[in-house]
Amino acid sequence: MVEQNIDTPFAPVKAEAGPTATPEHPPARAARGKPQRAPGPFIEAQDGTLLFHRDWGAGKPVLFLSGWALSSEMWGYLMLDLADNGLRCVAYDRRGHGRSSDPGRGYDLDTLADDLAAVLEQLDLREVTLVGHSMSGGEIARYLSRHGDRRIARAVFLAPTTPMVLKAPDNPDGLDRLLVEQVRAAMRADYPGWLADNAAPFFMPDTSPATMDWVRQLMLQCSMKALIDCNRASVEADFRDELRRIKVPTLVIHGDRDASAPLPLTGEKTAALVPGGRLIVYEGAPHGLFITHRERLGRDLLAFAQR
């Protein structure tokens, strides 16, 4: 099941149609030098794409980046807990995901990193703790290498797919390209069926069928263009050099029963590459540990963000 589940995050997210700019929901533009909340729910990326965001609480800022096919609502439980404990929790929908617009382009990692920069700059967030699940660990690495860490205090890679998924002479335990292409072809042929076949390993045995079905239905709302292009961008990338250049304190949290991003291939290597990187392994945790191990994860994130 490892091959079938690679980079397949599930999470709570209410899917809606992509937004358009209206007087009620204008693109957000922050005043220079003055930390503030955007006047509406949308932030405008460099190419005009509108990114939906949510902003809860007050205190040190934590910015959540969602996994593949997921939107900011996946973080709702954790954001509520952390906001109640004195943190400002911000999350946004990646382009083509959730309530953000689907421009049909810009699903490469450079553009996605620039979208993250737009959110940070337009909200004028500083001393930020970045938290990225699965695919978005790569977005964090690319943002830091492309834009620097002037606004970033620390980073959390949660069940990341970094540093490199594909097999290579210097990455012999990676996945065969042919296998990855077969998985992608299966998604293109019958994405709902593929999700149904591969949902169970994402959760724990005691996860309710209703929750599993709810998450699966939410993932079906993501743009097919975003699904395929983001999968290709993240699975085929090599972040090893970028991880070596991270200077901010970094925490990697990973489950030892992660079928989507096996710990030895991803989390262990990520923590080893980041200078001073710290790895916490959750025994028995799957890829969806932000649901299945939410209380423990909330405690670890709170302690790390308040350092």
Side-chain angles (χ1 to χ4, degrees):
M1 297 302 292
V2 170
E3 307 85 13
Q4 290 294 311
N5 284 293
I6 188 70
D7 201 16
T8 312
F10 290 69
V13 39
K14 180 180 180 182
E16 296 186 7
T20 55
T22 67
E24 292 78 21
H25 301 297
R29 296 186 183 279
R32 277 190 170 276
K34 183 180 180 182
Q36 62 176 336
R37 298 173 192 271
F42 298 111
I43 290 172
E44 186 176 3
Q46 291 180 358
D47 64 356
T49 298
L50 299 181
L51 305 173
F52 174 84
H53 83 289
R54 58 192 73 227
D55 190 344
W56 301 350
K60 290 185 176 181
V62 181
L63 177 55
F64 293 90
L65 290 83
S66 305
W68 174 80
L70 300 172
S71 74
S72 58
E73 200 162 339
M74 70 171 279
W75 298 112
Y77 296 110
L78 278 167
M79 288 178 64
L80 184 62
D81 291 344
L82 295 178
D84 285 346
N85 280 279
L87 295 177
R88 178 181 177 184
C89 297
V90 180
Y92 69 98
D93 296 348
R94 184 186 295 109
R95 59 176 60 211
H97 295 62
R99 304 184 196 183
S100 291
S101 54
D102 177 18
R105 65 186 184 279
Y107 303 111
D108 60 282
L109 286 158
D110 285 352
T111 303
L112 296 176
D114 292 348
D115 288 351
L116 170 55
V119 174
L120 287 162
E121 291 163 8
Q122 292 184 40
L123 295 179
D124 198 19
L125 298 176
R126 301 175 185 275
E127 294 296 311
V128 178
T129 298
L130 291 177
V131 180
H133 175 256
S134 193
M135 167 190 166
S136 58
E139 290 168 274
I140 291 175
R142 183 59 51 88
Y143 169 82
L144 291 171
S145 67
R146 189 170 172 85
H147 294 275
D149 58 14
R150 180 173 61 91
R151 293 180 178 272
I152 310 305
R154 56 194 68 82
V156 179
F157 290 72
L158 180 62
T161 56
T162 52
M164 184 177 181
V165 170
L166 289 180
K167 180 179 290 186
D170 59 351
N171 193 47
D173 53 345
L175 300 180
D176 290 327
R177 179 176 292 275
L178 178 59
L179 178 61
V180 171
E181 291 174 350
Q182 289 173 343
V183 172
R184 198 174 293 137
M187 289 190 291
R188 294 177 68 116
D190 183 3
Y191 178 55
W194 183 84
L195 278 180
D197 290 342
N198 293 279
F202 191 86
F203 302 100
M204 296 292 287
D206 60 354
T207 303
S208 72
T211 293
M212 296 173 62
D213 183 65
W214 172 53
V215 171
R216 188 164 60 246
Q217 292 300 320
L218 295 171
M219 291 187 70
L220 290 171
Q221 304 306 312
C222 185
S223 158
M224 283 299 296
K225 178 67 171 172
L227 286 172
I228 299 301
D229 285 3
C230 286
N231 175 272
R232 183 179 294 110
S234 62
V235 169
E236 299 186 7
D238 180 354
F239 296 101
R240 289 176 292 185
D241 183 58
E242 290 167 282
L243 292 171
R244 293 187 185 101
R245 291 186 277 129
I246 292 178
K247 298 177 181 179
V248 299
T250 299
L251 178 63
V252 179
I253 301 177
H254 214 111
D256 64 1
R257 300 189 71 175
D258 190 325
S260 300
L263 175 62
L265 177 64
T266 56
E268 288 181 352
K269 290 184 177 182
T270 296
L273 285 169
V274 177
R278 178 188 172 202
L279 173 66
I280 299 178
V281 177
Y282 286 9
E283 184 176 354
H287 200 54
L289 71 177
F290 59 90
I291 295 174
T292 63
H293 290 67
R294 174 176 62 88
E295 292 185 2
R296 178 180 178 184
L297 179 59
R299 291 193 297 269
D300 285 340
L301 292 179
L302 181 63
F304 189 62
Q306 289 182 330
R307 288 175 52 182

